[in-house]
Amino acid sequence: MFQAKGEKHWVIPDGYIPEHSSGELTSHESVCVLNCSSEEALLRFTIFFEDREPMEDILVVVPGRRTKHIRTSSLMKEGMPIPVGVPYAIEVKSDIDVIVQYSRLDSTQAENALMSVMAYPVR
């Protein structure tokens, strides 16, 4: 039996899906989750906005001893995705400890930019 590692509560304050991309690559963001445990992790995402109510209880399962790269553009609540061109923040709550990383590929210009940071663990 493999033990869970990380934290159960994570925050990513800076989210943004660009409206346009250039070249062959599409701008996107991913929440990368590592589940070291033998059991699956049930994640609950909340997406916060500056000017509207949050999108709450977006459920994602990460199988035991696996990683999952979740494109934020794939997160939906009642069939509605996160809007593009709108700043937002992400809260991730898990029923077991997991490790969360955040990555963004910005291809709005010919010179692509890739950023990857650890999410903030809430203790």
Side-chain angles (χ1 to χ4, degrees):
M1 189 65 120
F2 292 94
Q3 297 297 313
K5 296 176 182 164
E7 296 289 337
K8 292 181 180 170
H9 192 184
W10 296 84
V11 177
I12 303 162
D14 176 34
Y16 184 81
I17 303 170
E19 296 178 69
H20 305 286
S21 299
S22 66
E24 295 180 25
L25 298 174
T26 302
S27 295
H28 67 273
E29 300 177 311
S30 292
V31 176
C32 309
V33 180
L34 172 60
N35 178 6
C36 296
S37 171
S38 297
E39 61 184 287
E40 72 179 22
L42 176 61
L43 309 179
R44 291 183 184 274
F45 283 76
T46 300
I47 309 300
F48 293 92
F49 302 98
E50 294 176 352
D51 61 351
R52 62 191 85 185
E53 290 300 308
M55 297 170 67
E56 299 182 84
D57 290 322
I58 300 170
L59 302 178
V60 176
V61 173
V62 180
R65 309 234 342 118
R66 296 290 184 267
T67 184
K68 187 162 195 153
H69 292 69
I70 305 152
R71 284 209 181 178
T72 57
S73 60
S74 73
L75 295 173
M76 303 232 180
K77 183 63 178 182
E78 298 173 357
M80 297 297 295
I82 297 171
V84 298
V86 174
Y88 63 92
I90 305 166
E91 179 181 43
V92 181
K93 291 184 177 178
S94 177
D95 62 341
I96 64 171
D97 289 345
V98 294
I99 299 164
V100 176
Q101 178 182 350
Y102 170 76
S103 298
R104 177 186 295 159
L105 172 66
D106 184 343
S107 64
T108 55
Q109 302 176 53
E111 298 78 21
N112 295 322
L114 180 63
M115 170 190 79
S116 190
V117 297
M118 292 301 297
Y120 179 79
V122 180
R123 296 184 178 126

